[in-house]
Amino acid sequence: MSQQPMQHTPRVGFVSLGCPKATVDSEHILTRLRAEGYEISGGYDEADLVVVNTCGFIDAAVEESLDAIGEALAENGKVIVTGCLGAKDDVVLAAHPQVLAVTGPHATDEVMRAVHLHLPKPHDPFVDLVPPQGVRLTPQHYAYLKISEGCNHRCSFCIIPSMRGDLVSRPIHEVMKEAEALVDSGVKEILVVSQDTSAYGVDLKYRTGFWNGRPVKTRLYDLARALGELGVWVGLHYVYPYPSVDDIIPLMAEGLILPYLDIPFQHASPRILKAMKRPASSENVLERIRKWREICPDLTIRSTFITGFPGETEADFQELLEFLAEAQLDRVGAFAYSPVEGATANALPDPVPDEVREERRMRLMSFQEDISTCRLERWIDREVDVLVEEVDEEGALARSCADAPEIDGLVVIPDGEHLPVGEFARVRITDCDVHDLYATPLS
């Protein structure tokens, strides 16, 4: 009996750039690739072609994405481009006309069609190659859960709606099914992400769905309460400060979801907020923050701000610093304004010189340092649960409920070399610096 020659299994390389929403898009594509029998290559040399998921939000991200495409072409030669920069196919093709295909973001089907065209899929109907939770790029103990796509806002500095479209919420039963699969696979923390998490369900008029045989509205409050029943950490990210956010805080006080809010306020000057097309009032925000902390004293608030927006005066910037002094935010990131091709803010008068934008960014971050340190000092001498990230002979690195992965600080545990990675541990906080906490494990 003659032996059949071994069939080559097609291998796809993958480069994933950008934000957590893009990471979720990458995971969907990788899941489809594995489901269809493709192997995922860890390097360019072994891959039959390479998919590059790009970012195109600011100029630096565009440059990084174009460099990544160029590197993939140089090392492999066969490249499919997807993601936010892919929405500007003219930019990609002008720089790299030899790419095989270009698609926009959230385009798994289009990417798979391009892969099929240039690397026909294998066929093995007898093997299930994908676990129920899909293929993920995050460690086993945490995962991003994307609940919607697109955004209905038209902030003048942002081009995301032109790349990802208007808000499209996922049905709540679908979201909960994915969340349950993640928990069943061993995930200890779910990070809820979207372009505008607070708006979840608006496009569906908060339609009632069903989960575990009971009705649940397609609304952030109901979703947060349902996720809180799964027995894992649940954090909310990219939360727009709608009034409905006030209803979420009691869930945090009850311990159903993490006492953590990621809210990009962007500025505090009413004049600049109006130019940004951000409907917000710093006085109202400050009052709401006070009320939130009355309900949930351990609430951690992270935010981001833009310095040097067109028309920003020194008085506007001082108003922003005064807001930070009053708000006492826990975590703050700042970006010097960067013109993005296609953003309406580019046409605004009185652009701020580059050096002033950067100088204000540095002043803001320096100003915030003392505030962040003071906010961390409240944890000293307290016992808290942490999720262990890394362990070596020098100890362990972990995260508290106040720390989102890769963007916030860490809990450093010098004598924690025995702690298991990906598991919870109980520690006592002993010290802090500007960004991190220090702790000792409890027996």
Side-chain angles (χ1 to χ4, degrees), residues 25-61:
D25 288 349
S26 295
E27 291 173 343
H28 289 168
I29 296 169
L30 287 166
T31 297
R32 282 282 298 276
L33 288 168
R34 290 294 290 124
E36 294 186 8
Y38 293 93
E39 290 187 5
I40 307 304
S41 172
Y44 294 120
D45 293 342
E46 300 172 348
D48 296 302
L49 62 77
V50 177
V51 177
V52 180
N53 190 6
T54 60
C55 180
F57 185 52
I58 59 176
D59 290 347

PDB file of all heavy atoms in Angstrom, residues 25-61:
ATOM      1  N   ASP A  25     -10.001  42.461  16.962  1.00  0.00           N
ATOM      2  CA  ASP A  25     -10.122  42.163  15.524  1.00  0.00           C
ATOM      3  C   ASP A  25      -9.092  41.109  15.116  1.00  0.00           C
ATOM      4  O   ASP A  25      -9.398  40.174  14.364  1.00  0.00           O
ATOM      5  CB  ASP A  25      -9.917  43.431  14.695  1.00  0.00           C
ATOM      6  CG  ASP A  25     -11.088  44.394  14.797  1.00  0.00           C
ATOM      7  OD1 ASP A  25     -12.142  43.997  15.327  1.00  0.00           O
ATOM      8  OD2 ASP A  25     -10.954  45.548  14.332  1.00  0.00           O
ATOM      9  N   SER A  26      -7.856  41.271  15.606  1.00  0.00           N
ATOM     10  CA  SER A  26      -6.802  40.297  15.289  1.00  0.00           C
ATOM     11  C   SER A  26      -7.164  38.919  15.801  1.00  0.00           C
ATOM     12  O   SER A  26      -6.967  37.904  15.110  1.00  0.00           O
ATOM     13  CB  SER A  26      -5.469  40.742  15.907  1.00  0.00           C
ATOM     14  OG  SER A  26      -5.000  41.943  15.327  1.00  0.00           O
ATOM     15  N   GLU A  27      -7.711  38.856  17.011  1.00  0.00           N
ATOM     16  CA  GLU A  27      -8.096  37.556  17.575  1.00  0.00           C
ATOM     17  C   GLU A  27      -9.187  36.888  16.754  1.00  0.00           C
ATOM     18  O   GLU A  27      -9.179  35.664  16.576  1.00  0.00           O
ATOM     19  CB  GLU A  27      -8.536  37.752  19.027  1.00  0.00           C
ATOM     20  CG  GLU A  27      -7.382  38.136  19.952  1.00  0.00           C
ATOM     21  CD  GLU A  27      -7.835  38.507  21.360  1.00  0.00           C
ATOM     22  OE1 GLU A  27      -9.030  38.787  21.551  1.00  0.00           O
ATOM     23  OE2 GLU A  27      -6.980  38.518  22.263  1.00  0.00           O
ATOM     24  N   HIS A  28     -10.124  37.684  16.226  1.00  0.00           N
ATOM     25  CA  HIS A  28     -11.173  37.107  15.380  1.00  0.00           C
ATOM     26  C   HIS A  28     -10.583  36.510  14.101  1.00  0.00           C
ATOM     27  O   HIS A  28     -10.979  35.417  13.662  1.00  0.00           O
ATOM     28  CB  HIS A  28     -12.202  38.173  15.026  1.00  0.00           C
ATOM     29  CG  HIS A  28     -13.058  38.581  16.183  1.00  0.00           C
ATOM     30  ND1 HIS A  28     -13.878  39.684  16.170  1.00  0.00           N
ATOM     31  CD2 HIS A  28     -13.216  38.036  17.419  1.00  0.00           C
ATOM     32  CE1 HIS A  28     -14.510  39.796  17.322  1.00  0.00           C
ATOM     33  NE2 HIS A  28     -14.116  38.804  18.095  1.00  0.00           N
ATOM     34  N   ILE A  29      -9.628  37.240  13.497  1.00  0.00           N
ATOM     35  CA  ILE A  29      -9.005  36.737  12.267  1.00  0.00           C
ATOM     36  C   ILE A  29      -8.200  35.476  12.569  1.00  0.00           C
ATOM     37  O   ILE A  29      -8.272  34.472  11.833  1.00  0.00           O
ATOM     38  CB  ILE A  29      -8.111  37.820  11.634  1.00  0.00           C
ATOM     39  CG1 ILE A  29      -8.952  39.023  11.201  1.00  0.00           C
ATOM     40  CG2 ILE A  29      -7.345  37.253  10.442  1.00  0.00           C
ATOM     41  CD1 ILE A  29      -8.129  40.244  10.819  1.00  0.00           C
ATOM     42  N   LEU A  30      -7.430  35.507  13.654  1.00  0.00           N
ATOM     43  CA  LEU A  30      -6.622  34.335  14.011  1.00  0.00           C
ATOM     44  C   LEU A  30      -7.499  33.125  14.312  1.00  0.00           C
ATOM     45  O   LEU A  30      -7.157  31.985  13.961  1.00  0.00           O
ATOM     46  CB  LEU A  30      -5.755  34.664  15.229  1.00  0.00           C
ATOM     47  CG  LEU A  30      -4.568  35.599  14.956  1.00  0.00           C
ATOM     48  CD1 LEU A  30      -3.994  36.127  16.265  1.00  0.00           C
ATOM     49  CD2 LEU A  30      -3.487  34.868  14.162  1.00  0.00           C
ATOM     50  N   THR A  31      -8.636  33.361  14.949  1.00  0.00           N
ATOM     51  CA  THR A  31      -9.564  32.266  15.231  1.00  0.00           C
ATOM     52  C   THR A  31     -10.077  31.641  13.948  1.00  0.00           C
ATOM     53  O   THR A  31     -10.138  30.409  13.815  1.00  0.00           O
ATOM     54  CB  THR A  31     -10.734  32.781  16.093  1.00  0.00           C
ATOM     55  OG1 THR A  31     -10.232  33.223  17.354  1.00  0.00           O
ATOM     56  CG2 THR A  31     -11.761  31.687  16.333  1.00  0.00           C
ATOM     57  N   ARG A  32     -10.445  32.479  12.973  1.00  0.00           N
ATOM     58  CA  ARG A  32     -10.916  31.958  11.681  1.00  0.00           C
ATOM     59  C   ARG A  32      -9.808  31.187  10.969  1.00  0.00           C
ATOM     60  O   ARG A  32     -10.047  30.111  10.387  1.00  0.00           O
ATOM     61  CB  ARG A  32     -11.402  33.120  10.817  1.00  0.00           C
ATOM     62  CG  ARG A  32     -12.781  33.638  11.180  1.00  0.00           C
ATOM     63  CD  ARG A  32     -13.899  32.746  10.649  1.00  0.00           C
ATOM     64  NE  ARG A  32     -13.885  32.694   9.205  1.00  0.00           N
ATOM     65  CZ  ARG A  32     -14.456  33.605   8.410  1.00  0.00           C
ATOM     66  NH1 ARG A  32     -15.097  34.638   8.949  1.00  0.00           N
ATOM     67  NH2 ARG A  32     -14.419  33.491   7.097  1.00  0.00           N
ATOM     68  N   LEU A  33      -8.593  31.724  11.009  1.00  0.00           N
ATOM     69  CA  LEU A  33      -7.476  31.039  10.353  1.00  0.00           C
ATOM     70  C   LEU A  33      -7.262  29.650  10.954  1.00  0.00           C
ATOM     71  O   LEU A  33      -7.121  28.656  10.232  1.00  0.00           O
ATOM     72  CB  LEU A  33      -6.199  31.874  10.491  1.00  0.00           C
ATOM     73  CG  LEU A  33      -6.120  33.147   9.645  1.00  0.00           C
ATOM     74  CD1 LEU A  33      -4.950  34.021  10.090  1.00  0.00           C
ATOM     75  CD2 LEU A  33      -5.963  32.809   8.158  1.00  0.00           C
ATOM     76  N   ARG A  34      -7.255  29.573  12.287  1.00  0.00           N
ATOM     77  CA  ARG A  34      -7.049  28.279  12.921  1.00  0.00           C
ATOM     78  C   ARG A  34      -8.232  27.347  12.679  1.00  0.00           C
ATOM     79  O   ARG A  34      -8.054  26.133  12.475  1.00  0.00           O
ATOM     80  CB  ARG A  34      -6.825  28.466  14.424  1.00  0.00           C
ATOM     81  CG  ARG A  34      -5.501  29.112  14.774  1.00  0.00           C
ATOM     82  CD  ARG A  34      -4.299  28.229  14.401  1.00  0.00           C
ATOM     83  NE  ARG A  34      -4.207  27.061  15.250  1.00  0.00           N
ATOM     84  CZ  ARG A  34      -4.182  25.808  14.817  1.00  0.00           C
ATOM     85  NH1 ARG A  34      -4.243  25.548  13.518  1.00  0.00           N
ATOM     86  NH2 ARG A  34      -4.081  24.809  15.657  1.00  0.00           N
ATOM     87  N   ALA A  35      -9.449  27.891  12.664  1.00  0.00           N
ATOM     88  CA  ALA A  35     -10.638  27.074  12.437  1.00  0.00           C
ATOM     89  C   ALA A  35     -10.599  26.434  11.052  1.00  0.00           C
ATOM     90  O   ALA A  35     -11.115  25.334  10.849  1.00  0.00           O
ATOM     91  CB  ALA A  35     -11.901  27.913  12.598  1.00  0.00           C
ATOM     92  N   GLU A  36      -9.974  27.115  10.105  1.00  0.00           N
ATOM     93  CA  GLU A  36      -9.912  26.597   8.737  1.00  0.00           C
ATOM     94  C   GLU A  36      -8.650  25.778   8.481  1.00  0.00           C
ATOM     95  O   GLU A  36      -8.391  25.377   7.344  1.00  0.00           O
ATOM     96  CB  GLU A  36     -10.009  27.752   7.748  1.00  0.00           C
ATOM     97  CG  GLU A  36     -11.363  28.454   7.799  1.00  0.00           C
ATOM     98  CD  GLU A  36     -11.527  29.510   6.722  1.00  0.00           C
ATOM     99  OE1 GLU A  36     -10.645  29.594   5.828  1.00  0.00           O
ATOM    100  OE2 GLU A  36     -12.531  30.241   6.755  1.00  0.00           O
ATOM    101  N   GLY A  37      -7.859  25.559   9.532  1.00  0.00           N
ATOM    102  CA  GLY A  37      -6.722  24.659   9.388  1.00  0.00           C
ATOM    103  C   GLY A  37      -5.396  25.315   9.095  1.00  0.00           C
ATOM    104  O   GLY A  37      -4.377  24.624   8.943  1.00  0.00           O
ATOM    105  N   TYR A  38      -5.350  26.642   9.007  1.00  0.00           N
ATOM    106  CA  TYR A  38      -4.067  27.324   8.820  1.00  0.00           C
ATOM    107  C   TYR A  38      -3.271  27.269  10.115  1.00  0.00           C
ATOM    108  O   TYR A  38      -3.823  27.348  11.219  1.00  0.00           O
ATOM    109  CB  TYR A  38      -4.286  28.786   8.433  1.00  0.00           C
ATOM    110  CG  TYR A  38      -4.901  29.000   7.076  1.00  0.00           C
ATOM    111  CD1 TYR A  38      -6.281  29.136   6.936  1.00  0.00           C
ATOM    112  CD2 TYR A  38      -4.105  29.088   5.943  1.00  0.00           C
ATOM    113  CE1 TYR A  38      -6.857  29.349   5.694  1.00  0.00           C
ATOM    114  CE2 TYR A  38      -4.673  29.305   4.693  1.00  0.00           C
ATOM    115  CZ  TYR A  38      -6.050  29.430   4.570  1.00  0.00           C
ATOM    116  OH  TYR A  38      -6.617  29.635   3.333  1.00  0.00           O
ATOM    117  N   GLU A  39      -1.953  27.163   9.990  1.00  0.00           N
ATOM    118  CA  GLU A  39      -1.086  27.296  11.146  1.00  0.00           C
ATOM    119  C   GLU A  39      -0.624  28.751  11.256  1.00  0.00           C
ATOM    120  O   GLU A  39      -0.508  29.456  10.248  1.00  0.00           O
ATOM    121  CB  GLU A  39       0.127  26.368  11.039  1.00  0.00           C
ATOM    122  CG  GLU A  39      -0.227  24.892  11.177  1.00  0.00           C
ATOM    123  CD  GLU A  39       1.009  24.012  11.226  1.00  0.00           C
ATOM    124  OE1 GLU A  39       2.133  24.568  11.259  1.00  0.00           O
ATOM    125  OE2 GLU A  39       0.853  22.778  11.226  1.00  0.00           O
ATOM    126  N   ILE A  40      -0.375  29.197  12.487  1.00  0.00           N
ATOM    127  CA  ILE A  40       0.097  30.558  12.706  1.00  0.00           C
ATOM    128  C   ILE A  40       1.602  30.509  12.912  1.00  0.00           C
ATOM    129  O   ILE A  40       2.095  29.825  13.814  1.00  0.00           O
ATOM    130  CB  ILE A  40      -0.594  31.205  13.926  1.00  0.00           C
ATOM    131  CG1 ILE A  40      -2.117  31.092  13.791  1.00  0.00           C
ATOM    132  CG2 ILE A  40      -0.165  32.664  14.064  1.00  0.00           C
ATOM    133  CD1 ILE A  40      -2.688  31.689  12.520  1.00  0.00           C
ATOM    134  N   SER A  41       2.321  31.237  12.101  1.00  0.00           N
ATOM    135  CA  SER A  41       3.781  31.211  12.143  1.00  0.00           C
ATOM    136  C   SER A  41       4.304  32.253  13.119  1.00  0.00           C
ATOM    137  O   SER A  41       3.773  33.364  13.214  1.00  0.00           O
ATOM    138  CB  SER A  41       4.342  31.491  10.740  1.00  0.00           C
ATOM    139  OG  SER A  41       5.745  31.660  10.803  1.00  0.00           O
ATOM    140  N   GLY A  42       5.357  31.894  13.828  1.00  0.00           N
ATOM    141  CA  GLY A  42       5.970  32.832  14.759  1.00  0.00           C
ATOM    142  C   GLY A  42       7.017  33.716  14.125  1.00  0.00           C
ATOM    143  O   GLY A  42       7.591  34.590  14.790  1.00  0.00           O
ATOM    144  N   GLY A  43       7.302  33.540  12.846  1.00  0.00           N
ATOM    145  CA  GLY A  43       8.307  34.357  12.178  1.00  0.00           C
ATOM    146  C   GLY A  43       8.000  34.522  10.708  1.00  0.00           C
ATOM    147  O   GLY A  43       7.177  33.805  10.135  1.00  0.00           O
ATOM    148  N   TYR A  44       8.654  35.481  10.096  1.00  0.00           N
ATOM    149  CA  TYR A  44       8.428  35.737   8.661  1.00  0.00           C
ATOM    150  C   TYR A  44       8.902  34.584   7.791  1.00  0.00           C
ATOM    151  O   TYR A  44       8.275  34.228   6.796  1.00  0.00           O
ATOM    152  CB  TYR A  44       9.171  37.013   8.235  1.00  0.00           C
ATOM    153  CG  TYR A  44       8.656  38.283   8.854  1.00  0.00           C
ATOM    154  CD1 TYR A  44       9.470  39.081   9.643  1.00  0.00           C
ATOM    155  CD2 TYR A  44       7.346  38.702   8.637  1.00  0.00           C
ATOM    156  CE1 TYR A  44       9.004  40.267  10.201  1.00  0.00           C
ATOM    157  CE2 TYR A  44       6.865  39.880   9.183  1.00  0.00           C
ATOM    158  CZ  TYR A  44       7.705  40.657   9.969  1.00  0.00           C
ATOM    159  OH  TYR A  44       7.229  41.817  10.511  1.00  0.00           O
ATOM    160  N   ASP A  45      10.051  33.976   8.158  1.00  0.00           N
ATOM    161  CA  ASP A  45      10.682  32.983   7.291  1.00  0.00           C
ATOM    162  C   ASP A  45       9.791  31.771   7.041  1.00  0.00           C
ATOM    163  O   ASP A  45       9.769  31.217   5.932  1.00  0.00           O
ATOM    164  CB  ASP A  45      12.017  32.512   7.896  1.00  0.00           C
ATOM    165  CG  ASP A  45      13.053  33.629   7.923  1.00  0.00           C
ATOM    166  OD1 ASP A  45      12.861  34.615   7.180  1.00  0.00           O
ATOM    167  OD2 ASP A  45      14.031  33.515   8.676  1.00  0.00           O
ATOM    168  N   GLU A  46       9.078  31.346   8.087  1.00  0.00           N
ATOM    169  CA  GLU A  46       8.277  30.128   7.973  1.00  0.00           C
ATOM    170  C   GLU A  46       6.891  30.374   7.408  1.00  0.00           C
ATOM    171  O   GLU A  46       6.168  29.422   7.115  1.00  0.00           O
ATOM    172  CB  GLU A  46       8.151  29.480   9.358  1.00  0.00           C
ATOM    173  CG  GLU A  46       9.487  29.090   9.980  1.00  0.00           C
ATOM    174  CD  GLU A  46       9.336  28.633  11.409  1.00  0.00           C
ATOM    175  OE1 GLU A  46       8.238  28.833  11.971  1.00  0.00           O
ATOM    176  OE2 GLU A  46      10.294  28.072  11.963  1.00  0.00           O
ATOM    177  N   ALA A  47       6.489  31.629   7.271  1.00  0.00           N
ATOM    178  CA  ALA A  47       5.129  31.957   6.837  1.00  0.00           C
ATOM    179  C   ALA A  47       5.015  31.945   5.318  1.00  0.00           C
ATOM    180  O   ALA A  47       5.936  32.353   4.604  1.00  0.00           O
ATOM    181  CB  ALA A  47       4.724  33.320   7.376  1.00  0.00           C
ATOM    182  N   ASP A  48       3.851  31.483   4.825  1.00  0.00           N
ATOM    183  CA  ASP A  48       3.569  31.543   3.389  1.00  0.00           C
ATOM    184  C   ASP A  48       3.085  32.925   2.979  1.00  0.00           C
ATOM    185  O   ASP A  48       3.232  33.333   1.835  1.00  0.00           O
ATOM    186  CB  ASP A  48       2.525  30.490   3.022  1.00  0.00           C
ATOM    187  CG  ASP A  48       3.040  29.077   3.269  1.00  0.00           C
ATOM    188  OD1 ASP A  48       4.082  28.724   2.682  1.00  0.00           O
ATOM    189  OD2 ASP A  48       2.429  28.349   4.066  1.00  0.00           O
ATOM    190  N   LEU A  49       2.450  33.629   3.906  1.00  0.00           N
ATOM    191  CA  LEU A  49       2.130  35.046   3.734  1.00  0.00           C
ATOM    192  C   LEU A  49       1.937  35.651   5.117  1.00  0.00           C
ATOM    193  O   LEU A  49       1.850  34.945   6.112  1.00  0.00           O
ATOM    194  CB  LEU A  49       0.896  35.258   2.841  1.00  0.00           C
ATOM    195  CG  LEU A  49      -0.491  34.715   3.222  1.00  0.00           C
ATOM    196  CD1 LEU A  49      -1.154  35.578   4.299  1.00  0.00           C
ATOM    197  CD2 LEU A  49      -1.400  34.706   2.001  1.00  0.00           C
ATOM    198  N   VAL A  50       1.861  36.990   5.162  1.00  0.00           N
ATOM    199  CA  VAL A  50       1.766  37.701   6.439  1.00  0.00           C
ATOM    200  C   VAL A  50       0.578  38.659   6.397  1.00  0.00           C
ATOM    201  O   VAL A  50       0.365  39.356   5.394  1.00  0.00           O
ATOM    202  CB  VAL A  50       3.057  38.501   6.728  1.00  0.00           C
ATOM    203  CG1 VAL A  50       2.923  39.293   8.032  1.00  0.00           C
ATOM    204  CG2 VAL A  50       4.262  37.567   6.795  1.00  0.00           C
ATOM    205  N   VAL A  51      -0.207  38.672   7.474  1.00  0.00           N
ATOM    206  CA  VAL A  51      -1.283  39.653   7.655  1.00  0.00           C
ATOM    207  C   VAL A  51      -0.808  40.708   8.647  1.00  0.00           C
ATOM    208  O   VAL A  51      -0.314  40.366   9.730  1.00  0.00           O
ATOM    209  CB  VAL A  51      -2.580  38.989   8.176  1.00  0.00           C
ATOM    210  CG1 VAL A  51      -3.659  40.047   8.421  1.00  0.00           C
ATOM    211  CG2 VAL A  51      -3.075  37.941   7.187  1.00  0.00           C
ATOM    212  N   VAL A  52      -0.934  41.978   8.276  1.00  0.00           N
ATOM    213  CA  VAL A  52      -0.562  43.078   9.169  1.00  0.00           C
ATOM    214  C   VAL A  52      -1.826  43.864   9.520  1.00  0.00           C
ATOM    215  O   VAL A  52      -2.457  44.457   8.645  1.00  0.00           O
ATOM    216  CB  VAL A  52       0.483  44.013   8.523  1.00  0.00           C
ATOM    217  CG1 VAL A  52       0.851  45.145   9.490  1.00  0.00           C
ATOM    218  CG2 VAL A  52       1.728  43.235   8.122  1.00  0.00           C
ATOM    219  N   ASN A  53      -2.206  43.831  10.804  1.00  0.00           N
ATOM    220  CA  ASN A  53      -3.349  44.610  11.288  1.00  0.00           C
ATOM    221  C   ASN A  53      -2.827  45.958  11.773  1.00  0.00           C
ATOM    222  O   ASN A  53      -2.112  46.033  12.771  1.00  0.00           O
ATOM    223  CB  ASN A  53      -4.067  43.869  12.413  1.00  0.00           C
ATOM    224  CG  ASN A  53      -5.391  44.528  12.776  1.00  0.00           C
ATOM    225  OD1 ASN A  53      -5.826  45.471  12.117  1.00  0.00           O
ATOM    226  ND2 ASN A  53      -6.035  44.032  13.811  1.00  0.00           N
ATOM    227  N   THR A  54      -3.202  47.028  11.094  1.00  0.00           N
ATOM    228  CA  THR A  54      -2.570  48.326  11.276  1.00  0.00           C
ATOM    229  C   THR A  54      -3.375  49.260  12.176  1.00  0.00           C
ATOM    230  O   THR A  54      -4.549  49.042  12.453  1.00  0.00           O
ATOM    231  CB  THR A  54      -2.397  49.014   9.916  1.00  0.00           C
ATOM    232  OG1 THR A  54      -3.704  49.177   9.322  1.00  0.00           O
ATOM    233  CG2 THR A  54      -1.515  48.201   8.991  1.00  0.00           C
ATOM    234  N   CYS A  55      -2.708  50.342  12.593  1.00  0.00           N
ATOM    235  CA  CYS A  55      -3.347  51.449  13.300  1.00  0.00           C
ATOM    236  C   CYS A  55      -3.142  52.704  12.468  1.00  0.00           C
ATOM    237  O   CYS A  55      -2.109  52.873  11.832  1.00  0.00           O
ATOM    238  CB  CYS A  55      -2.740  51.624  14.695  1.00  0.00           C
ATOM    239  SG  CYS A  55      -3.455  52.978  15.659  1.00  0.00           S
ATOM    240  N   GLY A  56      -4.139  53.597  12.466  1.00  0.00           N
ATOM    241  CA  GLY A  56      -4.011  54.821  11.671  1.00  0.00           C
ATOM    242  C   GLY A  56      -4.544  56.037  12.378  1.00  0.00           C
ATOM    243  O   GLY A  56      -4.933  57.020  11.753  1.00  0.00           O
ATOM    244  N   PHE A  57      -4.561  55.987  13.733  1.00  0.00           N
ATOM    245  CA  PHE A  57      -5.241  57.042  14.493  1.00  0.00           C
ATOM    246  C   PHE A  57      -4.469  58.353  14.477  1.00  0.00           C
ATOM    247  O   PHE A  57      -5.040  59.413  14.303  1.00  0.00           O
ATOM    248  CB  PHE A  57      -5.469  56.559  15.927  1.00  0.00           C
ATOM    249  CG  PHE A  57      -6.258  57.531  16.758  1.00  0.00           C
ATOM    250  CD1 PHE A  57      -7.465  58.029  16.303  1.00  0.00           C
ATOM    251  CD2 PHE A  57      -5.785  57.947  17.980  1.00  0.00           C
ATOM    252  CE1 PHE A  57      -8.198  58.928  17.065  1.00  0.00           C
ATOM    253  CE2 PHE A  57      -6.511  58.838  18.757  1.00  0.00           C
ATOM    254  CZ  PHE A  57      -7.713  59.329  18.296  1.00  0.00           C
ATOM    255  N   ILE A  58      -3.141  58.307  14.699  1.00  0.00           N
ATOM    256  CA  ILE A  58      -2.320  59.508  14.658  1.00  0.00           C
ATOM    257  C   ILE A  58      -1.139  59.261  13.730  1.00  0.00           C
ATOM    258  O   ILE A  58      -0.867  58.128  13.334  1.00  0.00           O
ATOM    259  CB  ILE A  58      -1.827  59.915  16.060  1.00  0.00           C
ATOM    260  CG1 ILE A  58      -0.994  58.791  16.692  1.00  0.00           C
ATOM    261  CG2 ILE A  58      -2.995  60.285  16.967  1.00  0.00           C
ATOM    262  CD1 ILE A  58      -0.390  59.157  18.035  1.00  0.00           C
ATOM    263  N   ASP A  59      -0.418  60.329  13.391  1.00  0.00           N
ATOM    264  CA  ASP A  59       0.664  60.219  12.423  1.00  0.00           C
ATOM    265  C   ASP A  59       1.719  59.203  12.842  1.00  0.00           C
ATOM    266  O   ASP A  59       2.241  58.451  12.011  1.00  0.00           O
ATOM    267  CB  ASP A  59       1.318  61.590  12.207  1.00  0.00           C
ATOM    268  CG  ASP A  59       0.409  62.558  11.460  1.00  0.00           C
ATOM    269  OD1 ASP A  59      -0.605  62.088  10.903  1.00  0.00           O
ATOM    270  OD2 ASP A  59       0.692  63.766  11.440  1.00  0.00           O
ATOM    271  N   ALA A  60       2.052  59.183  14.146  1.00  0.00           N
ATOM    272  CA  ALA A  60       3.064  58.232  14.612  1.00  0.00           C
ATOM    273  C   ALA A  60       2.606  56.796  14.391  1.00  0.00           C
ATOM    274  O   ALA A  60       3.410  55.919  14.044  1.00  0.00           O
ATOM    275  CB  ALA A  60       3.366  58.471  16.089  1.00  0.00           C
ATOM    276  N   ALA A  61       1.303  56.543  14.576  1.00  0.00           N
ATOM    277  CA  ALA A  61       0.765  55.192  14.362  1.00  0.00           C
ATOM    278  C   ALA A  61       0.785  54.827  12.885  1.00  0.00           C
ATOM    279  O   ALA A  61       1.056  53.678  12.520  1.00  0.00           O
ATOM    280  CB  ALA A  61      -0.653  55.100  14.914  1.00  0.00           C
TER     281      ALA A  61
END
